[in-house]
């Protein structure tokens, strides 16, 4: 997986988090498959099409916090992740 400081695409735009579709019990094979990029200041009460219950790995950038909810529309239990 990339480190929190590595979350910068080639054009230099800041990325706050990346969610990955594939996971593995082996660390070097985690963070694979499709990637959902979360830019700074994003507010997404619903997961994009095809991502519901699909994210299995995530990396949160430095100076960022990612909050996820158990149910759609920001309902249910929540959990916060940071670098």
């Amino acid at each position: 997986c990339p480190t929190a400081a590595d979350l910068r695409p080639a054009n230099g735009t800041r990325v706050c988090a990346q969610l990955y579709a594939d996971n593995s019990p082996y660390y070097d094979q985690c963070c694979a498959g499709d990637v959902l990029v979360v830019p700074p200041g994003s507010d997404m009460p619903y997961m994009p099409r095809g991502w519901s219950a699909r994210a299995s790995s995530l990396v949160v950038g430095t100076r960022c916090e990612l909050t996820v909810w158990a149910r759609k529309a920001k309902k249910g239990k929540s959990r916060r992740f940071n670098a």
Side-chain angles (χ1 to χ4, degrees), residues 43-83:
D43 183 14
M44 301 167 59
Y46 299 92
M47 289 297 281
R49 186 177 191 91
W51 277 92
S52 181
R54 188 169 174 216
S56 61
S57 302
L58 63 89
V59 176
V60 179
T62 56
R63 296 180 293 149
C64 286
E65 182 175 86
L66 177 70
T67 304
V68 297
W69 285 266
R71 299 172 66 199
K72 63 183 179 180
K74 299 181 180 179
K75 297 191 182 197
K77 292 183 179 183
S78 67
R79 182 159 181 195
R80 294 176 187 223
F81 297 91
N82 56 37

